Amino acid sequence: LETLRPGEWEAYHVGYFTHLVDRNPNYVLPLGYMRELEKAGVIGALHPWAYTLPGVSTPVVAARRLGEGIAAQLRDGQVGGCLLVST
C-alpha cells in the first residue's frame, strides 16, 4: 500500500471519537507520510507489516508475549527504527 484512503479503512475504538481518523486514517498509521519520506530517501525501506495491539484489559502476560513476538520479527527484518503512534 502507498497510503490509507478514507472510506477504505475505519477506526474502531471506544476510547476516543474516531471521526477524524476515519477522515484520514494516516493519522494513526502514517503510511502515506512514511512513503513520502521513503521516496525522498530520508528513510530506508518500510517494513512490510504494521503491528497493532489492544491495550485495555490485555493481561500483562499476553502483552509481554505479543511484544516479544513483534520484537523478534522486527529484529529478523533488520528494522532500524519504529514509529510508535498513539490513539
Side-chain angles (χ1 to χ4, degrees):
L1 291 174
E2 289 298 310
T3 190
L4 301 180
R5 292 181 181 81
E8 295 178 6
W9 299 89
E10 180 181 358
Y12 177 77
H13 197 295
V14 296
Y16 70 95
F17 297 111
T18 60
H19 63 285
L20 293 174
V21 174
D22 288 340
R23 281 192 241 151
N24 186 351
N26 290 281
Y27 286 151
V28 292
L29 179 60
L31 182 60
Y33 309 120
M34 298 305 294
R35 290 289 184 208
E36 289 175 16
L37 294 174
E38 183 182 45
K39 287 177 184 171
V42 175
I43 62 171
L46 292 178
H47 187 60
W49 299 103
Y51 300 92
T52 63
L53 297 172
V56 176
S57 300
T58 303
V60 172
V61 68
R64 180 176 289 123
R65 181 177 39 80
L66 291 167
E68 289 170 351
I70 291 170
Q73 290 180 25
L74 294 174
R75 275 192 304 274
D76 291 347
Q78 299 180 337
V79 173
C82 294
L83 183 62
L84 304 175
V85 182
S86 176
T87 52

